[in-house]
Amino acid sequence: MITCSEFSFIKYQGNGNDFILIDGSVYGQSLSRERIVQLCSRQYGVGADGLACVKGFKSSVLEMEFFNADGKRALMCGNALRCVAFHGFKSLEVLSSKITISLGGVSYDCFQEKEKIKVVLPLPKLKGEGVYTLGKREVPYIWVDTGVDHLVLHVEPHEVGMEEFKAFGKKVRHDKAFAPGGVNVNLAAFTSPNTIYMRTYEKGVEDETLACGSGAAAAVFAMQRAYKNSNKNYFVEFFSKEKLEFNLEKDSRNQVLAWFMLGEAQAVFHGTISL
């Protein structure tokens, strides 16, 4: 283990959600909140929505810590999981069909399907529901735990493009009704019985991001509750115009038994930075 101010990294993106990957066995002790913030800074660092510190590359069992751009630890990030899994499959010394990633006390099984990564997700948990004022009308929302807390507001397609979304997202994210942790805020339009268009304001980034995997899972959960249909495959389109797929395993009573997230991950560049 070394303590240093020089970091080797790989920049990844999943659906436009971008992350810094570093080797936790080398740099784990060198991380501080201030350094994470600087690494994620788009002006003074590499630039990213978050940072994944991973131990165990070259094996099929990985330990992952995830930090948002504000330097605070997060228990879940769906798009980062896919990026770490993709890099893990590339790094394996012994061929394996499955990689297991431990994050936030949960083990996620990941599989490679051609150029995509499939992640087995825990079933979402409903925390509450109600209505929230958006402009001049009240819209229904559900509050869902998909590893992190998400508020999904069911809106019309034209409302997803609202110009003041960043200000609205910041307001809802800090609303006392969702204290003390706050929520990620998602506008979701159900554009067909199995397709969703959404935007996300992420806490920890404190801004809109181009995509959010755990938010997409929450939006699919919201559609399931709203429509109660028998669909097993869902597609979520993000502000980045990219799509993420969800496959649901159901029983004969239409009860969901398992969730699978399927999407791409891409290495953007790698390098070394001195802080």
Side-chain angles (χ1 to χ4, degrees):
M1 191 76 66
I2 60 175
T3 301
C4 63
S5 59
E6 189 173 85
F7 292 83
S8 295
F9 67 89
I10 303 174
K11 172 79 171 280
Y12 264 88
Q13 68 86 17
N15 295 119
N17 214 181
D18 58 345
F19 311 102
I20 300 165
L21 269 63
I22 65 169
D23 188 337
S25 63
V26 178
Y27 302 109
Q29 294 297 318
S30 300
L31 284 179
S32 64
R33 183 177 177 185
E34 292 73 21
R35 278 182 166 169
I36 293 168
V37 169
Q38 190 172 355
L39 283 164
C40 291
S41 170
R42 299 191 185 278
Q43 291 76 32
Y44 300 105
V46 178
D49 293 326
L51 180 145
C53 181
V54 185
K55 295 180 181 179
F57 281 130
K58 299 185 179 181
S59 77
S60 60
V61 180
L62 306 179
E63 295 180 20
M64 172 179 168
E65 291 181 286
F66 184 77
F67 302 88
N68 284 317
D70 65 357
K72 293 182 180 179
R73 190 186 308 272
L75 297 179
M76 164 60 170
C77 180
N79 287 330
L81 272 171
R82 291 202 323 281
C83 291
V84 169
F86 184 84
H87 189 72
F89 279 112
K90 289 176 59 178
S91 305
L92 282 174
E93 290 186 332
V94 179
L95 190 64
S96 175
S97 61
K98 180 180 77 173
I99 281 179
T100 300
I101 301 174
S102 175
L103 171 63
V106 178
S107 293
Y108 296 89
D109 289 336
C110 306
F111 304 87
Q112 192 164 26
E113 296 192 357
K114 295 183 179 179
E115 295 302 313
K116 295 184 177 182
I117 299 294
K118 176 181 279 189
V119 182
V120 184
L121 299 175
L123 298 182
K125 300 174 184 177
L126 179 67
K127 298 188 69 172
E129 51 192 329
V131 294
Y132 208 96
T133 302
L134 177 66
K136 296 182 179 180
R137 76 181 190 96
E138 292 187 328
V139 297
Y141 73 76
I142 66 168
W143 182 4
V144 189
D145 177 0
T146 56
V148 288
D149 282 4
H150 281 274
L151 201 74
V152 180
L153 295 103
H154 181 188
V155 300
E156 298 299 324
H158 72 273
E159 292 174 311
V160 178
M162 63 183 292
E163 293 182 2
E164 63 274 23
F165 175 58
K166 181 176 178 179
F168 175 77
K170 182 177 181 180
K171 173 187 173 184
V172 180
R173 178 258 187 272
H174 290 286
D175 194 308
K176 292 180 180 179
F178 312 113
V183 290
N184 298 284
V185 183
N186 307 272
L187 296 184
F190 302 160
T191 54
S192 82
N194 71 336
T195 306
I196 301 168
Y197 177 53
M198 66 176 289
R199 293 170 71 182
T200 301
Y201 181 95
E202 286 199 52
K203 66 175 186 175
V205 181
E206 305 307 333
D207 203 348
E208 179 174 10
T209 54
L210 290 179
C212 181
S214 57
V220 171
F221 180 79
M223 175 176 269
Q224 275 278 297
R225 283 182 60 82
Y227 288 172
K228 295 180 173 61
N229 59 32
S230 59
N231 287 336
K232 296 182 179 180
N233 300 309
Y234 292 84
F235 300 90
V236 179
E237 181 180 352
F238 299 107
F239 198 48
S240 64
K241 304 303 181 185
E242 296 190 36
K243 290 184 179 181
L244 189 58
E245 182 178 350
F246 289 84
N247 309 131
L248 278 57
E249 181 181 315
K250 297 183 177 183
D251 64 17
S252 58
R253 297 174 299 166
N254 204 39
Q255 297 297 308
V256 179
L257 303 176
W259 285 62
F260 304 92
M261 173 179 63
L262 181 66
E264 296 181 352
Q266 178 189 29
V268 182
F269 61 87
H270 62 88
T272 302
I273 184 171
S274 297
L275 299 179

Coordinates of all heavy atoms in Angstrom, one line a residue, residues 178-244:
F178 N -38.2 14.5 2.6 CA -37.4 13.3 2.3 C -36.1 13.4 3.1 O -35.1 12.7 2.8 CB -37.1 13.3 0.8 CG -38.3 13.5 0.0 CD1 -38.5 14.6 -0.8 CD2 -39.3 12.5 0.0 CE1 -39.7 14.8 -1.5 CE2 -40.5 12.7 -0.7 CZ -40.6 13.8 -1.5
A179 N -36.1 14.1 4.2 CA -34.9 14.2 5.1 C -34.8 12.9 5.9 O -35.8 12.1 6.0 CB -35.1 15.4 6.1
P180 N -33.6 12.6 6.4 CA -32.4 13.4 6.4 C -31.5 13.2 5.2 O -30.7 14.0 4.9 CB -31.7 13.0 7.7 CG -32.0 11.5 7.8 CD -33.5 11.4 7.3
G181 N -31.7 12.1 4.5 CA -30.8 11.8 3.4 C -31.0 12.5 2.1 O -30.1 12.6 1.3
G182 N -32.3 12.9 1.9 CA -32.6 13.5 0.6 C -32.8 12.4 -0.4 O -32.6 11.2 -0.2
V183 N -33.2 12.8 -1.6 CA -33.5 11.9 -2.7 C -32.9 12.3 -4.0 O -32.6 13.5 -4.2 CB -35.0 11.7 -2.9 CG1 -35.7 11.0 -1.7 CG2 -35.7 13.0 -3.1
N184 N -32.7 11.4 -4.9 CA -32.4 11.6 -6.3 C -33.8 11.9 -6.9 O -34.8 11.3 -6.6 CB -31.7 10.5 -7.0 CG -30.4 10.2 -6.3 OD1 -29.4 10.8 -6.6 ND2 -30.3 9.1 -5.5
V185 N -33.8 12.8 -7.9 CA -35.1 13.3 -8.4 C -35.2 12.9 -9.9 O -34.3 13.3 -10.7 CB -35.3 14.8 -8.3 CG1 -36.6 15.2 -8.8 CG2 -35.1 15.2 -6.8
N186 N -36.2 12.2 -10.3 CA -36.4 11.7 -11.6 C -37.7 12.2 -12.2 O -38.8 12.0 -11.6 CB -36.4 10.2 -11.7 CG -35.1 9.6 -11.0 OD1 -34.1 9.4 -11.6 ND2 -35.2 9.3 -9.7
L187 N -37.7 12.7 -13.4 CA -38.9 13.0 -14.2 C -39.0 11.8 -15.2 O -38.1 11.6 -16.0 CB -38.9 14.3 -14.9 CG -38.8 15.6 -14.1 CD1 -38.8 16.8 -15.1 CD2 -39.9 15.7 -13.1
A188 N -40.1 11.1 -15.1 CA -40.3 9.9 -16.0 C -41.6 10.0 -16.8 O -42.7 10.2 -16.2 CB -40.3 8.7 -15.2
A189 N -41.5 9.9 -18.1 CA -42.7 9.9 -19.0 C -42.8 8.5 -19.5 O -41.8 8.0 -20.1 CB -42.5 10.9 -20.1
F190 N -44.0 7.9 -19.4 CA -44.2 6.5 -19.9 C -44.7 6.7 -21.4 O -45.8 6.9 -21.6 CB -45.2 5.8 -19.1 CG -44.9 5.7 -17.6 CD1 -45.8 5.5 -16.7 CD2 -43.5 5.8 -17.2 CE1 -45.5 5.3 -15.3 CE2 -43.2 5.7 -15.8 CZ -44.2 5.5 -14.9
T191 N -43.7 6.5 -22.3 CA -44.0 6.8 -23.7 C -44.6 5.6 -24.4 O -45.1 5.8 -25.6 CB -42.7 7.3 -24.4 OG1 -41.7 6.3 -24.2 CG2 -42.3 8.6 -23.9
S192 N -44.6 4.4 -23.9 CA -45.3 3.3 -24.4 C -45.4 2.3 -23.2 O -44.9 2.6 -22.1 CB -44.5 2.6 -25.5 OG -43.5 1.8 -25.0
P193 N -46.1 1.2 -23.3 CA -46.3 0.3 -22.2 C -45.0 -0.3 -21.7 O -45.0 -0.9 -20.6 CB -47.2 -0.8 -22.8 CG -48.0 -0.1 -23.8 CD -47.1 0.8 -24.5
N194 N -43.9 -0.2 -22.4 CA -42.6 -0.7 -21.9 C -41.5 0.2 -22.1 O -40.3 -0.2 -22.1 CB -42.4 -2.1 -22.4 CG -42.0 -2.1 -23.9 OD1 -42.3 -1.1 -24.6 ND2 -41.3 -3.1 -24.4
T195 N -41.7 1.5 -22.4 CA -40.7 2.5 -22.7 C -40.8 3.7 -21.8 O -41.9 4.2 -21.7 CB -40.6 2.8 -24.2 OG1 -40.6 1.6 -24.9 CG2 -39.4 3.7 -24.5
I196 N -39.7 4.2 -21.3 CA -39.7 5.4 -20.4 C -38.7 6.3 -20.9 O -37.6 5.9 -21.3 CB -39.4 5.0 -18.9 CG1 -40.4 3.9 -18.4 CG2 -39.3 6.2 -18.0 CD1 -40.0 3.3 -17.1
Y197 N -39.0 7.6 -20.9 CA -38.0 8.7 -21.1 C -37.9 9.4 -19.8 O -38.9 9.8 -19.2 CB -38.5 9.6 -22.3 CG -37.5 10.8 -22.5 CD1 -36.2 10.5 -22.7 CD2 -38.0 12.1 -22.5 CE1 -35.3 11.6 -22.9 CE2 -37.1 13.1 -22.7 CZ -35.8 12.9 -22.9 OH -34.9 13.9 -23.1
M198 N -36.6 9.6 -19.4 CA -36.4 10.2 -18.1 C -35.2 11.1 -18.0 O -34.3 11.0 -18.8 CB -36.3 9.1 -17.0 CG -35.1 8.3 -17.1 SD -35.0 7.0 -15.7 CE -34.6 8.1 -14.4
R199 N -35.3 12.0 -17.0 CA -34.1 12.8 -16.6 C -33.9 12.7 -15.1 O -34.9 12.5 -14.4 CB -34.4 14.3 -17.0 CG -34.4 14.6 -18.5 CD -34.9 16.0 -18.8 NE -34.0 17.0 -18.4 CZ -34.2 18.3 -18.6 NH1 -35.4 18.7 -19.0 NH2 -33.3 19.2 -18.3
T200 N -32.7 12.9 -14.7 CA -32.3 12.7 -13.3 C -31.5 13.8 -12.7 O -30.5 14.2 -13.4 CB -31.6 11.4 -13.1 OG1 -32.4 10.3 -13.5 CG2 -31.3 11.2 -11.6
Y201 N -31.9 14.3 -11.6 CA -31.0 15.2 -10.8 C -30.5 14.4 -9.6 O -31.2 13.8 -8.8 CB -31.9 16.4 -10.2 CG -31.0 17.4 -9.4 CD1 -30.5 18.5 -10.0 CD2 -30.8 17.1 -8.0 CE1 -29.8 19.4 -9.2 CE2 -30.0 18.0 -7.3 CZ -29.5 19.2 -7.9 OH -28.8 20.1 -7.2
E202 N -29.1 14.2 -9.6 CA -28.5 13.3 -8.7 C -27.9 14.1 -7.5 O -27.1 15.0 -7.6 CB -27.4 12.5 -9.3 CG -27.9 11.4 -10.3 CD -26.8 10.4 -10.6 OE1 -26.2 9.9 -9.6 OE2 -26.6 10.1 -11.7
K203 N -28.3 13.6 -6.3 CA -27.6 14.1 -5.1 C -26.2 13.6 -5.1 O -25.9 12.5 -5.6 CB -28.4 13.7 -3.8 CG -28.4 12.2 -3.5 CD -29.1 11.9 -2.2 CE -29.0 10.5 -1.8 NZ -29.6 10.2 -0.5
G204 N -25.3 14.3 -4.5 CA -23.9 14.0 -4.5 C -23.2 14.5 -5.7 O -22.0 14.9 -5.6
V205 N -23.9 14.6 -6.8 CA -23.4 15.3 -8.0 C -23.9 16.8 -7.9 O -23.3 17.7 -8.3 CB -23.8 14.7 -9.3 CG1 -23.2 15.4 -10.5 CG2 -23.3 13.2 -9.3
E206 N -25.1 16.9 -7.3 CA -25.8 18.1 -7.2 C -26.0 18.8 -8.5 O -25.9 20.0 -8.7 CB -25.1 19.0 -6.2 CG -24.9 18.4 -4.8 CD -26.1 17.8 -4.2 OE1 -27.2 18.3 -4.4 OE2 -26.0 16.8 -3.4
D207 N -26.5 18.0 -9.5 CA -26.7 18.5 -10.8 C -27.4 17.4 -11.6 O -27.5 16.3 -11.2 CB -25.4 18.8 -11.5 CG -25.5 19.8 -12.6 OD1 -26.6 20.1 -13.1 OD2 -24.4 20.3 -13.1
E208 N -27.9 17.8 -12.8 CA -28.5 16.8 -13.7 C -27.3 16.0 -14.3 O -26.3 16.5 -14.6 CB -29.3 17.5 -14.8 CG -29.9 16.5 -15.8 CD -30.8 17.1 -16.8 OE1 -30.8 18.3 -16.9 OE2 -31.4 16.3 -17.5
T209 N -27.5 14.7 -14.3 CA -26.6 13.8 -15.0 C -27.2 13.3 -16.3 O -28.4 13.3 -16.5 CB -26.2 12.6 -14.1 OG1 -27.3 11.9 -13.7 CG2 -25.4 13.1 -12.9
L210 N -26.4 12.8 -17.2 CA -26.9 12.4 -18.5 C -27.7 11.1 -18.4 O -28.5 10.7 -19.3 CB -25.8 12.2 -19.5 CG -25.1 13.5 -20.0 CD1 -23.9 13.2 -21.0 CD2 -26.1 14.4 -20.6
A211 N -27.4 10.3 -17.3 CA -28.1 9.0 -17.1 C -28.0 8.6 -15.7 O -27.1 9.1 -15.0 CB -27.6 8.0 -18.0
C212 N -28.8 7.7 -15.3 CA -28.8 7.1 -13.9 C -29.4 5.7 -13.9 O -30.6 5.6 -14.1 CB -29.5 8.0 -12.9 SG -29.4 7.4 -11.2
G213 N -28.5 4.7 -13.6 CA -29.0 3.3 -13.7 C -30.0 3.0 -12.6 O -31.0 2.3 -12.8
S214 N -29.6 3.4 -11.3 CA -30.5 3.1 -10.2 C -31.8 3.9 -10.3 O -32.9 3.4 -9.9 CB -29.8 3.4 -8.9 OG -29.4 4.7 -8.8
G215 N -31.8 5.1 -10.9 CA -33.0 5.8 -11.2 C -33.8 5.2 -12.2 O -35.1 5.2 -12.1
A216 N -33.2 4.6 -13.2 CA -33.9 3.9 -14.3 C -34.7 2.7 -13.7 O -35.8 2.4 -14.0 CB -33.0 3.5 -15.4
A217 N -34.0 2.0 -12.8 CA -34.7 0.9 -12.1 C -35.9 1.3 -11.3 O -37.0 0.7 -11.3 CB -33.7 0.2 -11.2
A218 N -35.8 2.5 -10.7 CA -36.9 3.1 -9.9 C -38.0 3.4 -10.8 O -39.2 3.3 -10.5 CB -36.4 4.3 -9.1
A219 N -37.7 4.0 -12.0 CA -38.7 4.4 -13.0 C -39.5 3.1 -13.5 O -40.7 3.2 -13.7 CB -38.1 5.2 -14.1
V220 N -38.7 2.0 -13.8 CA -39.4 0.8 -14.2 C -40.3 0.3 -13.1 O -41.4 -0.2 -13.4 CB -38.3 -0.2 -14.6 CG1 -39.0 -1.6 -14.9 CG2 -37.6 0.2 -15.9
F221 N -39.9 0.4 -11.9 CA -40.7 0.0 -10.8 C -42.0 0.8 -10.7 O -43.1 0.3 -10.5 CB -40.0 0.1 -9.5 CG -40.7 -0.3 -8.2 CD1 -40.9 -1.6 -7.9 CD2 -41.3 0.7 -7.4 CE1 -41.6 -1.9 -6.7 CE2 -42.0 0.4 -6.3 CZ -42.1 -1.0 -5.9
A222 N -41.9 2.1 -11.0 CA -43.0 3.0 -11.0 C -44.0 2.6 -12.1 O -45.2 2.6 -12.0 CB -42.6 4.4 -11.2
M223 N -43.5 2.3 -13.3 CA -44.3 1.8 -14.4 C -45.0 0.5 -14.1 O -46.2 0.4 -14.4 CB -43.5 1.7 -15.7 CG -44.3 1.2 -16.9 SD -43.3 1.1 -18.4 CE -43.7 2.7 -19.1
Q224 N -44.3 -0.4 -13.5 CA -44.9 -1.6 -13.1 C -46.1 -1.4 -12.2 O -47.2 -2.0 -12.3 CB -43.9 -2.5 -12.3 CG -43.0 -3.3 -13.2 CD -43.7 -4.6 -13.6 OE1 -44.0 -5.5 -12.7 NE2 -43.9 -4.8 -14.8
R225 N -46.0 -0.5 -11.2 CA -47.1 -0.2 -10.3 C -48.2 0.5 -11.0 O -49.4 0.3 -10.6 CB -46.6 0.6 -9.1 CG -45.8 -0.1 -8.1 CD -45.3 0.8 -6.9 NE -46.5 1.4 -6.2 CZ -47.2 0.8 -5.3 NH1 -46.9 -0.5 -4.9 NH2 -48.2 1.4 -4.7
A226 N -47.9 1.3 -11.9 CA -48.9 2.1 -12.6 C -49.8 1.3 -13.6 O -51.0 1.4 -13.6 CB -48.3 3.3 -13.3
Y227 N -49.1 0.4 -14.3 CA -49.8 -0.4 -15.4 C -50.1 -1.8 -15.0 O -51.1 -2.3 -15.5 CB -48.9 -0.4 -16.6 CG -48.8 0.9 -17.4 CD1 -47.9 1.0 -18.4 CD2 -49.5 2.0 -17.0 CE1 -47.7 2.2 -19.1 CE2 -49.4 3.2 -17.7 CZ -48.5 3.3 -18.7 OH -48.4 4.5 -19.4
K228 N -49.4 -2.4 -14.1 CA -49.6 -3.8 -13.6 C -49.8 -4.7 -14.8 O -50.7 -5.6 -14.8 CB -50.8 -3.8 -12.7 CG -50.7 -3.1 -11.4 CD -51.9 -3.2 -10.5 CE -51.7 -2.6 -9.2 NZ -51.3 -1.1 -9.2
N229 N -49.0 -4.5 -15.8 CA -49.1 -5.3 -17.0 C -48.1 -6.5 -16.9 O -47.4 -6.7 -16.0 CB -48.8 -4.5 -18.3 CG -47.5 -3.9 -18.3 OD1 -46.5 -4.4 -17.8 ND2 -47.3 -2.7 -19.0
S230 N -48.2 -7.4 -18.0 CA -47.4 -8.6 -17.9 C -46.0 -8.4 -18.7 O -45.3 -9.4 -18.9 CB -48.2 -9.7 -18.6 OG -48.5 -9.4 -19.9
N231 N -45.7 -7.2 -19.1 CA -44.4 -7.0 -19.8 C -43.2 -7.5 -18.9 O -43.2 -7.3 -17.7 CB -44.2 -5.5 -20.1 CG -45.1 -5.1 -21.2 OD1 -45.5 -5.9 -22.0 ND2 -45.4 -3.8 -21.3
K232 N -42.2 -8.1 -19.6 CA -41.0 -8.5 -18.9 C -39.8 -7.8 -19.3 O -38.8 -7.9 -18.7 CB -40.8 -10.0 -19.1 CG -41.9 -10.9 -18.5 CD -41.7 -12.4 -18.8 CE -42.8 -13.2 -18.1 NZ -42.5 -14.7 -18.4
N233 N -39.9 -7.0 -20.4 CA -38.8 -6.3 -20.9 C -39.1 -4.8 -21.0 O -40.2 -4.4 -21.6 CB -38.4 -6.8 -22.3 CG -38.0 -8.2 -22.3 OD1 -37.1 -8.6 -21.4 ND2 -38.5 -9.1 -23.1
Y234 N -38.2 -3.9 -20.4 CA -38.5 -2.5 -20.4 C -37.2 -1.8 -20.9 O -36.1 -2.3 -20.8 CB -38.8 -2.0 -19.0 CG -40.1 -2.6 -18.5 CD1 -40.2 -3.8 -17.9 CD2 -41.3 -1.8 -18.6 CE1 -41.4 -4.3 -17.4 CE2 -42.5 -2.3 -18.1 CZ -42.5 -3.5 -17.5 OH -43.8 -4.0 -17.1
F235 N -37.5 -0.6 -21.5 CA -36.4 0.2 -22.0 C -36.5 1.6 -21.5 O -37.6 2.2 -21.5 CB -36.4 0.2 -23.5 CG -36.3 -1.1 -24.2 CD1 -37.4 -1.9 -24.4 CD2 -35.0 -1.7 -24.4 CE1 -37.3 -3.2 -25.0 CE2 -34.9 -2.9 -25.0 CZ -36.0 -3.7 -25.2
V236 N -35.4 2.2 -21.0 CA -35.4 3.5 -20.4 C -34.4 4.3 -21.3 O -33.2 4.0 -21.5 CB -34.9 3.5 -19.0 CG1 -34.9 4.9 -18.4 CG2 -35.8 2.6 -18.1
E237 N -34.9 5.4 -21.8 CA -34.1 6.4 -22.6 C -33.8 7.6 -21.7 O -34.7 8.1 -21.1 CB -34.8 6.8 -23.9 CG -34.0 7.8 -24.7 CD -34.7 8.2 -26.0 OE1 -35.8 7.7 -26.3 OE2 -34.1 9.1 -26.7
F238 N -32.5 7.9 -21.8 CA -32.0 9.0 -20.9 C -31.9 10.3 -21.7 O -32.0 10.4 -22.9 CB -30.7 8.6 -20.3 CG -30.7 7.4 -19.4 CD1 -30.2 6.2 -19.9 CD2 -31.3 7.4 -18.2 CE1 -30.2 5.1 -19.1 CE2 -31.3 6.3 -17.4 CZ -30.7 5.1 -17.9
F239 N -31.5 11.4 -20.9 CA -31.3 12.7 -21.5 C -30.1 12.6 -22.5 O -30.0 13.4 -23.5 CB -30.9 13.7 -20.4 CG -31.0 15.1 -20.8 CD1 -32.2 15.6 -21.5 CD2 -30.0 16.0 -20.5 CE1 -32.3 16.9 -21.8 CE2 -30.1 17.3 -20.8 CZ -31.3 17.8 -21.5
S240 N -29.2 11.6 -22.3 CA -28.1 11.4 -23.3 C -28.5 10.7 -24.6 O -27.7 10.6 -25.5 CB -27.1 10.4 -22.6 OG -27.7 9.1 -22.4
K241 N -29.8 10.4 -24.7 CA -30.4 9.7 -25.8 C -30.0 8.2 -25.9 O -30.4 7.5 -26.8 CB -30.1 10.4 -27.2 CG -30.5 11.9 -27.2 CD -31.9 12.1 -26.9 CE -32.3 13.5 -27.0 NZ -33.7 13.8 -26.7
E242 N -29.3 7.7 -24.9 CA -28.9 6.3 -24.9 C -30.0 5.6 -24.1 O -30.7 6.2 -23.3 CB -27.5 6.1 -24.3 CG -26.4 6.7 -25.1 CD -25.0 6.3 -24.6 OE1 -24.9 5.2 -24.2 OE2 -24.1 7.1 -24.7
K243 N -30.0 4.2 -24.3 CA -31.1 3.4 -23.6 C -30.4 2.3 -22.8 O -29.4 1.8 -23.0 CB -32.0 2.8 -24.7 CG -32.8 3.7 -25.4 CD -33.8 3.0 -26.4 CE -34.7 4.0 -27.1 NZ -35.6 3.3 -28.1
L244 N -31.2 2.0 -21.7 CA -30.8 0.9 -20.8 C -32.0 -0.1 -20.8 O -33.2 0.4 -20.7 CB -30.6 1.5 -19.4 CG -30.0 0.6 -18.3 CD1 -28.6 0.0 -18.8 CD2 -29.8 1.4 -17.0

